[in-house]
């Protein structure tokens, strides 16, 4: 019997009624989450954004006491994110952006910004400032991507694809700095603050421009048909380094095969406009532009060296080359691990980064901090143990490193550690709610299994030590991304930290839970991240999900008839795939904003029918994409499912879930649904996270734990 309509209404009603009736899962998913950690260019001031029950504020701390203080005074769970935090050069003022969806795949039609609280006033993206003394801050202007001038007197920013500026003086008004055809991005002030480099995106190619003064024409630096990005000035302000890739076009390539994406580092003279290549990637799959945190992470280091991230030996590593070119790159971080969250020291002599390596075997499922000189492969490990560290920035005096840190039973917090390493000191230890269930949390266990085809696959196992004898219900959790890695502790992304908390709650309720790091994810090398026949080219990653279920079935403490699955985004896709293909393995599931029809990937080739040239494998690709879709296997979908989707999702169209609901109804599959009006993909409101966490856990407990 199809109960979809009744359950849709009951979920909504229970969500409204439960606002005044806290549930046990609420305590697990309620914890402050820090982001946007930055440091002043001088002294020992650091600041970050803290999301506390959906109320986002800027916080700061200063050495040597490092006592945290709140600088802004926002009070509502309104879903307006605070991002792009930055200090003025003197450290007395911070600027940030309020509003928007900066993780979206596309913009909303008409430029309508997220309004997840369904307020009656249209929301906007605004640039704000706040003084170090606090006082709440003020809105300066509508705009995005603010960049503080090194002189500290004004901010350049983007509005409607053009560059504007506003002075940091009382009652200042924003004015257009200049006009340039195309959409502008990648702003970069010269060290003396007199010139502004930028990228002008022209559709299929882009140009590097240089603005110097009102009335002076834009100088276009070494224009080509390439796409350029990430301009970085030399310390002397005479040259600009940037990333270049071939422009769009050419004969159609096959769809199901991977193709190299070559790129290069170029350096252009800001006066003459003469450009030369400092380094070019090999035209190989491994040489393709990296897709991990920060991308290329281009920076200009001491000794006139360019530091960058590349993936040429199966791992994303740091390299450096002379800015003048003519030399092979120096591999700074050799080893079988990946590098993330890269930042340059104030003196530009070394780089601080985190990596999934260390002195323990299990460190490949953690993150620790390291530093390395810009010209030698001499990395030094700064943190170690069972915690996870990321987002590090060196203080302006170069003596301390501020970082974000979490543990298996400790949610993320801001911390400080000596530049020489040691045990980080947590700066915000008093912010956890008094009823946070630390004693109920488990320390997940690192488990490595063999997939269906023999590939080693890492998982984290959540299980209570006092679970007792007998067979218990179990859960497979599949993350989104897919270029993500779940860790042996709270994740550095709020989305996955919240999911980690839900898995902890399920474990507390007697489930045996595994979080599977399926192929396509990061952390285990390029061949794992870019496997054969994966995604819409064959969904080979699903074998790892199957293997996780078989692992659970093989455990003496698991009831093989009560295994569920849940996940969001790409995890929602794999959840739907599991239920469609293997209702014999998975008794129930929760699919949160998943993709269900992979032929939708062809929308990027929407004009292909108008061209005589077509990819050689177009017909085959359409069939393979369809076969890689959950909706292709509706005939064998029997298990019940809960569908959850925000209807302002800018990463996965809500139509994917609307379509699946109709197919489930026609197939007679029992399903429940939770459509969240005006929410986006990465839920912006605390209320949403609470409602979703309740719905997920209630459904899985009802279908699996309470099932006879």
């Amino acid at each position: 019997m199809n109960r979809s309509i009744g359950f849709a209404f009951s979920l909504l009603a229970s969500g409204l009624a439960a606002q005044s009736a806290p549930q046990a899962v609420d305590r697990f998913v309620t914890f402050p989450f820090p982001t946007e950690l930055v440091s002043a260019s001088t002294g020992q001031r650091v600041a970050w954004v803290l999301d506390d029950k959906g109320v986002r504020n800027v916080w700061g701390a200063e050495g040597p006491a490092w006592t945290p203080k709140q600088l802004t005074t926002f009070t509502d769970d309104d879903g307006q994110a605070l991002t792009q935090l930055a200090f003025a050069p003197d450290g007395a003022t911070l600027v940030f952006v309020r509003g928007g969806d900066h993780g979206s795949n596309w913009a909303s039609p008409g430029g309508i910004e997220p309004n997840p609280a369904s307020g009656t006033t249209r929301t906007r993206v605004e640039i704000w400032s706040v003084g170090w003394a606090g006082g709440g801050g003020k809105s300066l202007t509508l705009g995005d991507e603010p960049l503080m001038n090194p002189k500290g007197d004004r901010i350049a920013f983007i509005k409607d694809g053009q560059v504007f500026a506003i002075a940091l003086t009382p009652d200042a008004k924003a004015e257009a700095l200049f006009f340039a055809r195309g959409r502008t991005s990648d702003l970069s002030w010269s060290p003396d603050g007199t010139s502004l480099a930028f990228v002008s995106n022209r559709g299929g190619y882009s140009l590097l421009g240089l603005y110097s003064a009102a009335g002076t024409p834009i100088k276009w630096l070494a224009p080509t048909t390439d796409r350029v990005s990430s301009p970085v000035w030399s310390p002397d302000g005479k040259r600009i380094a940037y990333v270049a890739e071939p422009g769009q076009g050419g004969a159609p390539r096959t769809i199901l095969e991977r193709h190299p994406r070559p790129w290069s580092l170029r350096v252009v003279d800001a006066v003459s406009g003469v450009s030369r290549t400092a380094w070019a990637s090999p035209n190989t799959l491994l040489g393709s532009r990296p897709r991990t945190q920060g991308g290329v992470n281009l920076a200009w280091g001491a000794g006139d060296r360019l530091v960058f991230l590349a993936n040429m030996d199966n791992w994303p590593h740091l390299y450096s080359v002379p800015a003048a070119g003519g030399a092979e790159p120096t591999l700074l971080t050799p080893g079988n691990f990946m590098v993330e969250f890269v930042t340059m020291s104030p003196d530009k002599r070394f780089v601080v980064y985190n990596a999934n390596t260390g002195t323990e075997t299990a460190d490949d499922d953690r993150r620790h901090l390291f530093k390395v000189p810009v010209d030698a492969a001499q990395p030094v490990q700064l943190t170690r143990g069972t915690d996870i560290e990321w987002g590090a920035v060196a203080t302006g005096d170069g003596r301390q490193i501020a970082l974000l840190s979490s543990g298996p039973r400790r949610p993320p917090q801001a911390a400080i550690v000596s530049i020489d390493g040691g045990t980080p000191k947590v700066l915000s230890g008093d912010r956890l709610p008094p009823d946070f269930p630390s004693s109920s949390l488990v320390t997940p266990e690192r488990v490595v299994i063999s997939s269906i085809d023999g590939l080693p696959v890492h998982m984290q196992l959540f299980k209570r030590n006092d679970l007792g004898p007998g067979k218990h219900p179990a859960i497979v959790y599949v993350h989104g991304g897919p270029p993500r890695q779940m860790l042996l502790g709270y994740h550095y992304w709020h989305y996955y930290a919240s999911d980690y908390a839900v898995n902890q709650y399920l474990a507390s309720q007697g489930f045996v839970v595994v979080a599977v790091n399926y192929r396509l994810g990061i952390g285990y090398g390029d061949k794992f991240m870019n496997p054969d026949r994966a995604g819409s080219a064959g969904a080979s990653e699903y074998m790892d999900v199957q293997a996780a279920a078989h692992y659970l079935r093989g455990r003496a403490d698991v009831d093989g008839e009560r295994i569920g699955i849940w996940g969001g985004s790409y995890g929602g896709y794999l959840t739907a795939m599991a239920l469609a293909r293997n209702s014999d393995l998975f008794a129930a599931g929760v699919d949160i904003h998943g993709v269900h029809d992979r032929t939708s990937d062809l929308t990027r080739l929407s004009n292909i029918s108008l061209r005589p040239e077509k990819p050689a494998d177009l017909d085959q690709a359409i069939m393979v994409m369809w076969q890689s879709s959950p909706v292709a296997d509706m005939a064998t979908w029997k298990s019940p499912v809960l569908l959850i989707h925000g209807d302002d999702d800018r990463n996965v169209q809500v139509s994917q879930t609307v379509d699946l609901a109709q197919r489930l109804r026609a197939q007679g599959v029992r399903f429940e649904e939770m459509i969240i009006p005006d929410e986006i993909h990465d839920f912006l409101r605390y209320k949403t996270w609470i409602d979703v966490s309740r719905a997920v856990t209630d459904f899985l407990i009802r279908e699996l734990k309470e099932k006879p």
Side-chain angles (χ1 to χ4, degrees):
M1 176 180 177
N2 189 314
R3 297 185 288 170
S4 62
I5 297 178
F7 276 105
F9 280 107
S10 66
L11 279 173
L12 177 60
S14 64
L16 292 174
Q19 295 311 301
S20 58
Q23 297 182 14
V25 69
D26 299 3
R27 297 189 300 124
F28 284 76
V29 298
T30 300
F31 50 87
F33 194 90
T35 58
E36 304 290 326
L37 182 65
V38 295
S39 66
S41 57
T42 59
Q44 290 192 339
R45 288 182 176 177
V46 300
W48 62 94
V49 171
L50 193 68
D51 181 342
D52 192 351
K53 294 184 179 179
V55 180
R56 298 167 172 87
N57 278 292
V58 178
W59 285 69
E62 184 173 20
W66 298 111
T67 302
K69 63 177 182 178
Q70 184 175 329
L71 304 181
T72 57
T73 55
F74 298 110
T75 59
D76 296 330
D77 175 23
D78 56 11
Q80 298 305 298
L82 305 186
T83 59
Q84 303 172 66
L85 187 64
F87 273 100
D90 62 2
T93 305
L94 290 122
V95 298
F96 57 93
V97 171
R98 185 168 188 266
D101 179 5
H102 293 92
S104 63
N105 290 340
W106 60 80
S108 176
I112 299 174
E113 300 299 340
N115 180 19
S118 298
T120 56
T121 302
R122 181 173 177 177
T123 54
R124 304 283 187 173
V125 177
E126 300 176 321
I127 298 173
W128 281 64
S129 70
V130 64
W132 183 253
K138 65 175 182 178
S139 175
L140 299 178
T141 182
L142 299 179
D144 205 350
E145 302 177 47
L147 182 66
M148 184 74 69
N149 187 285
K151 297 178 179 179
D153 59 347
R154 59 178 173 164
I155 303 165
F157 63 94
I158 303 295
K159 180 180 177 183
D160 299 327
Q162 295 295 323
V163 182
F164 288 70
I166 187 170
L168 288 178
T169 55
D171 302 320
K173 302 296 183 183
E175 297 180 348
L177 193 61
F178 62 87
F179 174 82
R181 189 170 63 85
R183 297 191 67 85
T184 302
S185 65
D186 295 41
L187 305 182
S188 181
W189 284 111
S190 61
D192 63 4
T194 61
S195 300
L196 184 70
F198 64 94
V199 171
S200 180
N201 300 287
R202 300 294 177 95
Y205 72 104
S206 54
L207 304 174
L208 180 62
L210 187 62
Y211 166 83
S212 56
T216 301
I218 299 295
K219 178 183 289 187
W220 300 109
L221 301 174
T224 68
T225 61
D226 287 342
R227 291 171 292 173
V228 300
S229 60
S230 307
V232 177
W233 287 84
S234 61
D236 61 10
K238 295 181 179 180
R239 293 161 294 163
I240 302 171
Y242 59 98
V243 177
E245 303 173 82
Q248 295 178 357
R253 294 183 171 188
T254 53
I255 299 171
L256 298 176
E257 297 175 317
R258 291 180 61 207
H259 300 277
R261 296 178 294 115
W263 55 288
S264 62
L265 301 180
R266 297 181 188 169
V267 177
V268 62
D269 186 283
V271 176
S272 69
V274 175
S275 174
R276 63 179 300 170
T277 299
W279 174 82
S281 74
N283 190 22
T284 62
L285 291 176
L286 278 179
S288 299
R289 181 169 176 165
R291 296 186 290 122
T292 46
Q293 178 72 31
V296 173
N297 287 278
L298 179 61
W300 208 304
D304 207 34
R305 297 189 70 85
L306 300 178
V307 180
F308 60 99
L309 195 75
N311 187 7
M312 295 185 287
D313 64 353
N314 194 47
W315 299 94
H317 279 308
L318 285 171
Y319 294 81
S320 74
V321 293
E328 290 297 312
T330 298
L331 172 60
L332 302 177
T333 57
N336 295 334
F337 58 85
M338 66 172 293
V339 169
E340 283 185 321
F341 291 95
V342 178
T343 186
M344 186 72 73
S345 66
D347 61 9
K348 301 186 181 298
R349 294 176 50 246
F350 62 89
V351 177
V352 177
Y353 61 95
N354 71 348
N356 64 327
T357 187
T359 56
E360 299 182 14
T361 301
D363 284 337
D364 57 3
D365 288 339
R366 300 190 183 104
R367 297 289 188 272
H368 292 311
L369 295 188
F370 298 79
K371 66 178 181 180
V372 66
V374 299
D375 58 356
Q378 299 172 356
V380 175
Q381 186 168 353
L382 301 177
T383 62
R384 59 192 72 233
T386 59
D387 283 353
I388 296 164
E389 298 92 20
W390 70 95
V393 291
T395 55
D397 62 1
R399 298 172 59 187
Q400 306 283 336
I401 294 176
L403 63 139
L404 301 176
S405 169
S406 70
R409 300 169 64 183
R410 178 175 62 82
Q413 294 168 309
I416 199 81
V417 70
S418 166
I419 196 71
D420 298 318
T423 302
K425 171 188 175 182
V426 172
L427 301 184
S428 51
D430 61 344
R431 298 298 303 170
L432 278 178
D435 63 346
F436 186 76
S438 298
S439 61
S440 299
L441 303 182
V442 302
T443 297
E445 175 188 347
R446 175 182 182 267
V447 174
V448 182
I449 62 172
S450 291
S451 188
I452 303 299
D453 60 353
L455 181 73
V457 172
H458 288 228
M459 302 191 301
Q460 291 84 43
L461 171 68
F462 299 76
K463 179 191 173 186
R464 276 172 33 195
N465 292 330
D466 62 346
L467 191 55
K471 292 183 177 292
H472 305 277
I475 297 290
V476 175
Y477 166 75
V478 274
H479 64 77
R484 309 280 184 265
Q485 182 190 24
M486 300 300 99
L487 307 172
L488 291 167
Y490 282 89
H491 205 271
Y492 49 77
W493 281 31
H494 179 270
Y495 189 113
Y496 302 113
S498 181
D499 286 0
Y500 179 91
V502 170
N503 287 333
Q504 286 279 5
Y505 175 73
L506 290 169
S508 78
Q509 297 302 299
F511 286 86
V512 178
V513 182
V514 291
V516 56
N517 279 325
Y518 55 87
R519 71 192 75 187
L520 284 178
I522 60 175
Y524 310 110
D526 183 83
K527 292 180 181 178
F528 190 90
M529 184 178 175
N530 295 289
D532 293 334
R533 298 176 290 103
S536 59
S540 61
E541 67 276 16
Y542 177 63
M543 289 189 289
D544 308 337
V545 179
Q546 286 178 297
H550 288 305
Y551 163 81
L552 289 172
R553 272 199 166 179
R555 290 182 61 98
D557 55 359
V558 168
D559 181 349
E561 300 303 312
R562 292 189 292 161
I563 297 175
I565 184 169
W566 81 284
S569 194
Y570 209 90
Y573 160 67
L574 288 173
T575 293
M577 180 78 78
L579 299 174
R581 290 186 176 182
N582 288 113
S583 282
D584 58 329
L585 276 178
F586 298 97
V590 180
D591 167 3
I592 306 174
H593 43 231
V595 173
H596 310 121
D597 181 356
R598 296 304 300 263
T599 62
S600 61
D601 293 355
L602 289 171
T603 55
R604 58 189 173 85
L605 303 173
S606 58
N607 66 340
I608 202 165
S609 62
L610 302 178
R611 302 176 60 181
E613 286 184 304
K614 291 180 172 55
D617 62 347
L618 177 59
D619 292 339
Q620 179 190 6
I622 293 172
M623 182 57 65
V624 171
M625 286 178 170
W626 174 253
Q627 294 169 345
S628 303
S629 304
V631 293
D633 292 296
M634 294 301 301
T636 52
W637 189 326
K638 308 298 181 184
S639 297
V641 62
L642 168 61
L643 307 177
I644 300 176
H645 214 132
D647 82 338
D648 192 21
D649 194 323
R650 295 134 191 256
N651 294 73
V652 175
Q653 295 279 4
V654 70
S655 59
Q656 291 278 342
T657 293
V658 174
D659 174 77
L660 179 60
Q662 313 322 311
R663 295 174 186 270
L664 291 167
R665 181 174 286 116
Q667 185 69 15
V669 176
R670 180 164 55 88
F671 72 97
E672 302 174 19
E673 52 189 347
M674 182 180 184
I675 296 299
I676 311 166
D678 298 328
E679 254 299 8
I680 66 166
H681 193 74
D682 190 359
F683 305 135
L684 286 168
R685 298 189 69 201
Y686 168 72
K687 177 187 180 300
T688 304
W689 285 107
I690 291 294
D691 289 347
V692 169
S693 299
R694 291 176 180 179
V696 169
T697 55
D698 287 351
F699 181 85
L700 293 174
I701 289 171
R702 178 168 18 97
E703 294 294 334
L704 301 171
K705 186 178 179 183
E706 298 175 357
K707 184 176 181 180

